[in-house]
Every structure is written in C-alpha cells, then in structure tokens.
Amino acid sequence: MRKLERLAINDEGFIFDPETGNSYTVNKTGLFIIKLLKEGKSEEEIVKALSEKFDVSEEDARRDLVDFIEQLRLYGLLEGENV
Amino acid sequence: MKEAYEKPVILKLKTGMMNKFGSSPAYIRKVRKEIDGVPVEELVEKFGSPLFVFSEKKLRQKFREVKNAFTLRYPNVEFSWSYKTNYLDAICAVLHQEGETAEVVSEFEYEKARRLGVPGNQIIYNGPYKPYDSLVTAVKEGARINIDHFEEIADLERVADELGVKPRVGIRLNMDTGIHPQWSRFGFNLESGQALDAVKRIASGGKLELVGLHCHIGTFILDPHAYEVEVKKMVDFAYKVEDQFGFKIEYLDIGGGFPSKNRLKGIYLPPEVAVPSVDEFAERVCSALLSSLRPGDYPKLILESGRAIVDEAGYLITTVHAAKRLPSGLKAYVLDAGVNILFTAFWYKFNVEIDREVHGTSEPCVLYGPLCMNIDVVDDLTYLPPLPRGTRLILSPVGAYNVTQWMQFIRYRPAVVLIGENGEVDLIREAEDLTDIVRREKLPERLKLEW
Ligand SMILES: Cc1ncc(COP(=O)(O)O)c(C=O)c1O
C-alpha cells in the first residue's frame, strides 16, 4: 500500500507518480477502486462495494477488478504483496 | 438508484499520444447494430458466429458504379468476373445477372462456372496451368483462352489438330508499368521481345488465330497512371501484330487490380484519401485507349476487376470469446474468427465495428483469432473500449479473397449469408461440420481402432 499512498490523485482521475514522473488517467470506476485500495480494502470488499454502488453483478465486477489490478501491477503502481 | 457501470480502466499518458487515448468520439461512430437493416444479433442467433454476411445491394451498386465509369467513356466494354476473388455460386450469379462473363484460372473454376449455367463462350480461361483435357473442353465450348507460355501454344496446336478446328486465342503479356513487384512470371514479356516471339511462333504454326491480348499488372494498384501505361503498350503491340502478321486484335483484356476501400497495412492514410476513385481509373484507361487507337477502331475492352467489386459487400461478424492482459500491458481479445477464415488479415487492416454502445475509455488492444498458432492475429493494434465477453465485432471489407482462400484448419468454416435487396436473408453456404472433412478420408481396415 505504500506505493499507492505516494501517488497524487485528483477527482478527475488524473494520477501522478512522483517517483517515476509518469502520469495516468483512470475512469470513474478505476478511481473508485483505487480509493478503496488505498484504504486497505480487500478484493471481496471492493467487489461488494462496486456492485452496491454501480449497476453491475458481483461476478462481472470481480472479473474486471482482477484485470484492473493486473494493469496497476504492470504499471508498477501496486507492489506484489497486497491484494 | 445505482450508477451506470463502466469497466475500470487506467491509461498511461504519453506526451504527443494523448489524443489517441481518451474516449475518442470516433468509436461512437463505430457502432453497427445491423447490416442492411437486419440486426446483427438476429443473424448470429439464426446462423451462428462467426458469420460471413454479403450485401446484395452493395454488390450490385458497386458493380454498376464500376461498369458505368467505363461504359460512359468507351463504347465496347465487357466485364468478366474474376472467380478466384469470390466464387460462391450466389455471388457469381448476382454478377452474371448484372451482365458479367466469367474469368477462370483453373479447370475447377471453369467447371464451377459451367455448372452455374455460364456458356463456354462467355468464359475467359486464364492462368499458367491449364491441364490438356481442360484445353480440349475449353476449345470445344468456345471459351476465350489467354495463353501463358510457349508450351501452351504447343498444347493448343495439338488440340486444334485433334478437334480439326482453328482456335481463336489470346496471349497474356507482362510489362513494365512502373508497378512493383512486376508480375513478370505470367505470360510473355513485352520489352524483351518475348511477346513478339510468341506471335511469330503462333503465326508460323498456322493452327491458331490470335485475336486478343491480355495483361494483369497486379492487385490493389493505387496508381491510375499504371493503367495508362498498360493500355498504351497494349494498343501499340496490337497494331504491331496486325501490321506484321495480319492478326486482327479484337479484344484488349487489361485484367483487374483496382483497389477497394480497404486499408493496406503500412499505408496510414484512410482509404477514403489513399484510394483513387474508380472514375479516375476509368478516365486514365479510356482516354489512353481513345488517344492511341486508330480512327474507327474500337476493340473490346475487357476488365477482370475482382476486389474493387466484391470486397466492400462482405462483412464478418465475430464474437469476443475472452479478454486477457498480455505481459506487455496490452489488452488482448480472443475472437472466434482468425486468419483461418480471414486470409486477407495478413495484408489489410479491417474496419472494426462493435454491435453495441460500450461505455468506457478506448484503450490499445490486439485482436487474436481462435487458433493456437502465433500467426493468428486479426489486428495487431486497434483502439477499443473495454469489451465484455460476447460482444460482436463486425469486420469489413472482407468480401474479396477470404471465402476462396479460407482454410479448414483447426476449426470448421462458418456459414455465409446473403442479404437481398428487400432485406431477405438467404443462407448461401452452410457452416461445415465433421462430415465435410471426413467425406474423402479412408481408414485402412487394419487401422480400425477397437476401444
Ligand atoms: C488474371 C487475373 N485477372 C483478374 C484478377 C483480379 O484481380 P483484382 O481482384 O485485383 O481485381 C486477378 C487476380 O489475381 C488475376 O490474376
């Protein structure tokens, strides 16, 4: 979680990584997930939160979350140990 | 109430690339829910996925456009349908109804045209390999034969003796028109004098009547000027033959090669910009003819245009079977159609449309086919919003060369339907099943398994 905490994130979904100088954009759902990850929520909790807030089944939300986390890892925004 | 859901996406921003990402409005235009008024979903429900769909309306429209471009500019034109481009019965029948004759390059294509009811004298028989028996049939039935090499001259003289007739033939020429690669392996070379040698050889044999010249300079030719060169060289040669040998050249068959509105890989301009209009080709061809022909002489101009006529009439509906993330970070989709049925994917970048509105940011992705082969790539880089499993993609134009060069490899070949001008949908080729593949196989008795 340390890595995520260092990121500068604004409400429009613009993310800046001060360590590498890279910037990213996330959509609304992505931003929602990142906020929960920062709070240290588990995968299951995030799936639940997604299906409560958005019009999506838990099954679809789970599949998308796995893919999203995969993307964060590939960009080096998540360290291996969490989630 | 719950909020509308979008798949979560994160994109890395690269300077200078920003406008390529983001929710590009281009993709909103890329939604296609129907083909000629028939819903994509209805087609798939009835005929399965993947599914080739042809539009009869578009096919006839395109043919008429090409035909008009030439017939308005020259008084004696024949269109001959290049069977290899698409020899499905229904497609050929539409084009024969429109007045096209048949251009074939093998005994198989010849037989297919005859079976469909095309009379022999409405067939043009081309190609470097014409088995002897097929030449006998073609001569008997009055087909126009364009000779590819000296051996074929000898073969046809034998046929002449055997049947006691003097076949009327053409010769195929190859020449420098500024197009690379030069298709110099077919026919007789003009510049080297080989073509003239062929005429000498025919004249000295005395058994054949030379009445035509044929040439085909290549395919997906983007330079109309090449045709001007081709036509002028053919006319010059025709008069040389007439003056020196007394053969009257009755037809100049300039082959095919006009491009469709497809996107050749490596050409980054959109086809609307890169591909000249058919009128430009017609203008070059016909003004070259009219300026070099002798007064009052109007030999028949034959066109064997293939892809320009049928490519844009064909669509392929394919379904997203899975989404995955590659180690490079690139998104990948596995489709139910690959290079096994989309042979032209090796050279062209298709237009990709989605059957529904998908919300979310477009991201770079690669489209893979269903084969477990590394070469099975339908598109190596396109931009699509996150597609749920089951999304249909509509790829186009795919009407030329795919349903002839497709392979039965790993998977069965899918069904092909034709949407008629009144929206009627006809199955014109059934999806294959195991019986199609094993019908010709024989298992020796001693290898029968007893499990
Ligand atoms: C002799 C001949 N005629 C016509 C064609 C049709 O060409 P296109 O589809 O480029 O018009 C071909 C294609 O290779 C050909 O070889």
Side-chain angles (χ1 to χ4, degrees):
Chain A
M1 210 53 47
R2 277 156 294 151
K3 175 87 191 179
L4 269 182
E5 266 152 28
R6 274 199 295 273
L7 298 176
I9 304 175
N10 77 8
D11 284 344
E12 265 83 68
F14 180 84
I15 300 176
F16 181 72
D17 180 350
E19 228 167 87
T20 60
N22 289 330
S23 46
Y24 305 85
T25 65
V26 281
N27 62 359
K28 189 172 60 173
T29 321
L31 190 62
F32 181 76
I33 294 172
I34 287 179
K35 280 184 176 156
L36 295 178
L37 285 171
K38 273 182 112 171
E39 289 166 20
K41 293 280 193 293
S42 74
E43 217 171 302
E44 262 326 293
E45 286 170 315
I46 298 175
V47 167
K48 251 207 179 61
L50 279 168
S51 66
E52 275 161 18
K53 184 170 166 71
F54 298 103
D55 186 17
V56 61
S57 69
E58 287 198 13
E59 195 189 329
D60 284 346
R62 188 170 296 112
R63 193 177 327 141
D64 292 345
L65 179 63
V66 169
D67 184 52
F68 188 69
I69 288 173
E70 200 67 12
Q71 294 179 65
L72 295 179
R73 260 194 236 293
L74 286 162
Y75 286 139
L77 299 178
L78 266 190
E79 279 133 10
E81 76 271 18
N82 39 39
V83 211
Chain B
M1 223 187 72
K2 292 184 183 181
E3 289 181 37
Y5 179 72
E6 246 179 42
K7 279 174 181 284
V9 181
I10 177 164
L11 290 174
K12 187 168 178 173
L13 297 173
K14 292 182 193 148
T15 25
M17 295 276 281
M18 299 246 206
N19 55 357
K20 278 203 175 174
F21 297 87
S23 32
S24 155
Y27 293 108
I28 296 163
R29 278 189 279 114
K30 289 204 147 202
V31 172
R32 172 189 279 279
K33 296 183 176 164
E34 44 78 31
I35 299 173
D36 279 6
V38 183
V40 167
E41 209 41 45
E42 195 179 301
L43 289 166
V44 172
E45 256 165 43
K46 208 149 163 208
F47 302 102
S49 170
L51 179 69
F52 276 102
V53 181
F54 281 87
S55 158
E56 184 175 340
K57 192 158 107 195
K58 214 149 186 193
L59 182 59
R60 290 186 190 271
Q61 236 170 33
K62 194 69 207 198
F63 174 72
R64 289 172 195 172
E65 184 190 326
V66 178
K67 182 182 159 191
N68 288 343
F70 284 89
T71 51
L72 289 174
R73 292 177 168 90
Y74 188 73
N76 189 8
V77 187
E78 172 180 336
F79 280 88
S80 199
W81 177 240
S82 157
Y83 263 47
K84 74 182 87 55
T85 308
N86 188 321
Y87 44 59
L88 287 172
D89 282 349
I91 299 296
C92 296
V94 167
L95 294 168
H96 292 320
Q97 270 187 0
E98 290 286 331
E100 287 217 59
T101 57
E103 187 263 339
V104 305
V105 290
S106 67
E107 74 278 31
F108 148 64
E109 288 186 358
Y110 189 96
E111 285 164 18
K112 202 159 190 296
R114 292 289 290 123
R115 170 182 154 278
L116 196 58
V118 181
N121 65 6
Q122 300 298 304
I123 297 179
I124 297 174
Y125 190 12
N126 289 328
Y129 179 62
K130 305 185 186 82
Y132 185 77
D133 288 345
S134 73
L135 285 176
V136 174
T137 309
V139 170
K140 265 191 201 157
E141 297 181 344
R144 283 163 290 176
I145 301 166
N146 291 318
I147 301 173
D148 192 79
H149 45 68
F150 285 104
E151 313 281 4
E152 199 179 316
I153 297 178
D155 283 348
L156 279 164
E157 289 178 339
R158 226 178 101 203
V159 175
D161 285 342
E162 197 178 310
L163 300 179
V165 295
K166 191 170 190 184
R168 294 156 51 78
V169 299
I171 54 170
R172 174 155 176 177
L173 308 175
N174 68 68
M175 60 181 74
D176 182 8
T177 58
I179 293 296
H180 295 282
Q182 202 176 317
W183 285 31
S184 54
R185 51 174 287 190
F186 303 107
F188 303 94
N189 184 256
L190 188 69
E191 290 86 3
S192 71
Q194 190 184 45
L196 205 63
D197 286 345
V199 180
K200 270 183 212 154
R201 170 68 188 74
I202 289 171
S204 70
K207 294 178 181 178
L208 308 173
E209 179 78 14
L210 181 65
V211 298
L213 299 178
H214 174 231
C215 185
H216 172 76
I217 59 174
T219 194
F220 208 83
I221 306 286
L222 293 171
D223 179 11
H225 176 65
Y227 286 93
E228 193 175 317
V229 176
E230 180 193 13
V231 166
K232 286 203 163 130
K233 286 191 172 185
M234 286 177 87
V235 172
D236 284 352
F237 188 71
Y239 286 139
K240 203 172 196 173
V241 168
E242 287 185 22
D243 296 346
Q244 290 185 23
F245 300 89
F247 291 127
K248 173 75 188 94
I249 298 303
E250 296 168 7
Y251 68 82
L252 298 171
D253 181 341
I254 67 166
F258 302 146
S260 56
K261 296 247 179 307
N262 212 334
R263 189 190 295 247
L264 203 58
K265 285 188 181 168
I267 291 183
Y268 292 99
L269 290 172
E272 294 70 29
V273 180
V275 177
S277 72
V278 67
D279 276 297
E280 280 178 70
F281 287 99
E283 184 57 38
R284 295 286 187 138
V285 168
C286 298
S287 59
L289 269 178
L290 294 172
S291 67
S292 49
L293 285 169
R294 292 172 181 169
D297 188 22
Y298 298 107
K300 180 171 273 179
L301 168 67
I302 301 178
L303 292 137
E304 302 171 350
S305 199
R307 76 168 73 249
I309 288 169
V310 76
D311 207 17
E312 291 154 50
Y315 304 83
L316 180 74
I317 304 175
T318 170
T319 304
V320 172
H321 178 71
K324 55 189 350 183
R325 184 71 53 189
L326 303 178
S328 65
L330 196 62
K331 182 92 177 227
Y333 293 100
V334 180
L335 309 179
D336 62 3
V339 296
N340 50 329
I341 59 170
L342 280 175
F343 193 76
T344 60
F346 291 122
W347 295 283
Y348 298 95
K349 198 169 174 65
F350 306 121
N351 187 28
V352 180
E353 296 170 300
I354 317 170
D355 71 333
R356 61 192 79 172
E357 322 271 349
V358 176
H359 295 286
T361 328
S362 292
E363 61 175 324
C365 59
V366 51
L367 304 178
Y368 290 130
L371 309 181
C372 42
M373 303 282 290
N374 218 20
I375 55 159
D376 193 17
V377 183
V378 173
D379 196 326
D380 56 12
L381 185 64
T382 187
Y383 293 85
L384 293 169
L387 302 178
R389 186 176 202 188
T391 306
R392 318 281 183 203
L393 300 182
I394 299 96
L395 309 180
S396 64
V398 299
Y401 295 103
N402 286 306
V403 296
T404 48
Q405 295 192 68
W406 55 359
M407 300 176 265
Q408 188 279 303
F409 177 55
I410 299 187
R411 307 207 73 242
Y412 298 124
R413 285 176 288 199
V416 184
V417 298
L418 177 70
I419 302 180
E421 289 182 296
N422 301 315
E424 64 274 42
V425 181
D426 287 300
L427 184 61
I428 60 172
R429 195 177 194 275
E430 292 176 356
E432 288 176 347
D433 63 23
L434 190 57
T435 60
D436 295 297
I437 293 147
V438 298
R439 193 167 68 89
R440 298 277 178 192
E441 287 197 45
K442 305 259 183 275
L443 185 67
E445 198 57 42
R446 67 178 192 287
L447 299 178
K448 297 239 155 88
L449 301 176
E450 281 164 31
W451 265 340

